[in-house]
Amino acid sequence: MKLGDGVEAAIHCVTALATLDEGRVLPAAAMAEFHGLSTSYLLKHLKALTKAGILASVPGPTGGYKLAKAPEDLTLLDVVLAVEGPEPAFRCKEIRRKGPNPLPDDAFPKPCGINAAMLKAEQAYRKALRETLISDLIHNHNQTSDPRVHARGCAFVQQHIRP
Amino acid sequence: MKLGDGVEAAIHCVTALATLDEGRVLPAAAMAEFHGLSTSYLLKHLKALTKAGILASVPGPTGGYKLAKAPEDLTLLDVVLAVEGPEPAFRCKEIRRKGPNPLPDDAFPKPCGINAAMLKAEQAYRKALRETLISDLIHNHNQTSDPRVHARGCAFVQQHIRP
Ligand code: FES
Ligand code: FES
């Protein structure tokens, strides 16, 4: 099981944008530079976050990205699903219906129990992600990070913030 | 997030092998046929299950696979990790340390809070998988499946069981 690399970048960008004052934006290129990523790679994920209503993009030469919702109204699950898509990790291909001597569809009135058990575990995963707010991550970061990490982040934001 | 297709095949084979009497085996080719899969594809996953101590393989012309443990001693998590490997779904690449003006390692005494939150959710997923025994899946299947499904499965096993 593997999540795409984009998830790490997406969550870090969302938490960085959560520190901006109302109406301010950061350009994609600045966020890419700060995280050591290529802009084209990051743009793909920023667009997915925008499409999901998590970010808003402001076009034009002084444009960039900002949060479309308050960090209290965004969960880790929102960000993960925006980047990875809504499909569950386990994708049943109904192999119980394959092979010789196939049975008619009415022999399978219920979902396969294996599929049901896998989806139940996925619900537990999603519940844990849903219970973590982006505001919790920021609060935790502010409480526990080294002052040098804060200083570096603030200096970078001040240098690139728009307008 | 996506699990490999092999997980579905692996769990179905493990539950099928759990129905065999002591000392009996099923060949890989029969299990592949029953699930509409290619033998080479299935063998890859059967070997991973064997390496993980979930299956035992009996070599030779009357050989095949059997469970290496009782179904009560096997969990869904055992099977998923055997096929998918032990790595968590979220793989932090420490992007917080990338980019301009890098900080020394001692500015990061703790794991990134984002990584910690993602791993916590994965623990919830693994816990749910660990709580589902292979014997539970079989019990549930026996209670709820259509008699035609049982009859087809039994007939196939009787035709291919060894020795
Ligand atoms: S048929 Fe897909 S998990 Fe059983
Ligand atoms: S540095 Fe990897 S999740 Fe934060």
Side-chain angles (χ1 to χ4, degrees):
Chain A
M1 181 160 82
K2 191 172 177 338
L3 284 161
D5 291 340
V7 173
E8 185 182 14
I11 305 170
H12 270 274
C13 287
V14 166
T15 56
L17 292 174
T19 67
L20 303 187
D21 287 334
E22 182 82 32
R24 304 314 237 353
V25 300
L26 278 179
M31 287 189 281
E33 185 191 0
F34 187 67
H35 296 111
L37 304 166
S38 83
T39 305
S40 59
Y41 169 86
L42 189 62
L43 265 175
K44 186 182 140 193
H45 300 301
L46 295 175
K47 282 178 182 165
L49 292 167
T50 306
K51 201 174 154 206
I54 294 169
L55 301 186
S57 79
V58 173
T62 60
Y65 288 88
K66 60 183 176 182
L67 288 196
K69 289 181 181 174
E72 296 76 28
D73 297 329
L74 286 172
T75 73
L76 259 189
L77 182 64
D78 296 328
V79 179
V80 170
L81 293 184
V83 174
E84 290 284 298
E87 273 202 273
F90 181 78
R91 299 174 195 177
C92 170
K93 291 194 170 167
E94 290 289 339
I95 64 172
R96 62 182 178 163
R97 301 181 195 232
K98 308 276 167 70
N101 308 320
L103 294 169
D105 281 351
D106 70 359
F108 303 99
K110 292 191 184 187
C112 177
I114 292 169
N115 191 19
M118 293 301 294
L119 292 182
K120 199 174 146 201
E122 174 122 8
Q123 290 311 317
Y125 184 67
R126 292 189 178 201
K127 180 168 180 284
L129 291 179
R130 196 183 294 115
E131 285 169 357
T132 307
L133 304 177
I134 297 301
S135 52
D136 297 337
L137 294 173
I138 294 162
H139 181 76
N140 175 53
H141 180 72
N142 290 342
Q143 297 285 311
T144 63
S145 288
D146 188 280
R148 289 168 288 175
V149 173
H150 282 280
R152 175 177 175 262
C154 287
F156 197 83
V157 166
Q158 289 319 315
Q159 192 186 339
H160 293 282
I161 200 167
R162 294 172 175 182
Chain B
M1 180 161 80
K2 192 174 180 331
L3 283 161
D5 292 342
V7 173
E8 184 181 14
I11 305 170
H12 271 274
C13 287
V14 166
T15 57
L17 293 172
T19 67
L20 303 186
D21 287 334
E22 183 81 32
R24 303 313 235 357
V25 300
L26 278 179
M31 287 189 280
E33 185 192 358
F34 187 68
H35 295 112
L37 303 166
S38 83
T39 305
S40 60
Y41 168 85
L42 189 62
L43 265 174
K44 186 182 139 193
H45 300 301
L46 296 174
K47 282 178 182 164
L49 292 167
T50 306
K51 201 173 154 210
I54 295 169
L55 302 186
S57 79
V58 175
T62 61
Y65 288 88
K66 61 183 178 183
L67 287 196
K69 291 182 181 174
E72 297 76 26
D73 297 329
L74 285 172
T75 72
L76 259 189
L77 182 64
D78 295 328
V79 179
V80 170
L81 293 184
V83 174
E84 291 284 300
E87 272 202 273
F90 181 79
R91 299 174 195 176
C92 169
K93 293 194 169 165
E94 290 288 341
I95 63 172
R96 63 182 176 162
R97 299 181 197 232
K98 309 275 167 74
N101 308 320
L103 293 169
D105 281 353
D106 71 358
F108 304 99
K110 294 192 183 186
C112 177
I114 293 169
N115 190 20
M118 294 300 295
L119 293 181
K120 199 175 146 201
E122 175 122 7
Q123 290 311 319
Y125 183 67
R126 293 189 177 200
K127 179 167 181 281
L129 292 179
R130 196 182 294 116
E131 285 169 358
T132 306
L133 303 177
I134 297 301
S135 52
D136 297 336
L137 293 175
I138 294 162
H139 181 76
N140 175 52
H141 181 72
N142 290 342
Q143 298 285 313
T144 63
S145 288
D146 188 281
R148 290 169 288 176
V149 174
H150 282 280
R152 175 177 176 264
C154 288
F156 195 84
V157 165
Q158 289 319 314
Q159 192 185 339
H160 293 282
I161 199 167
R162 295 172 174 179

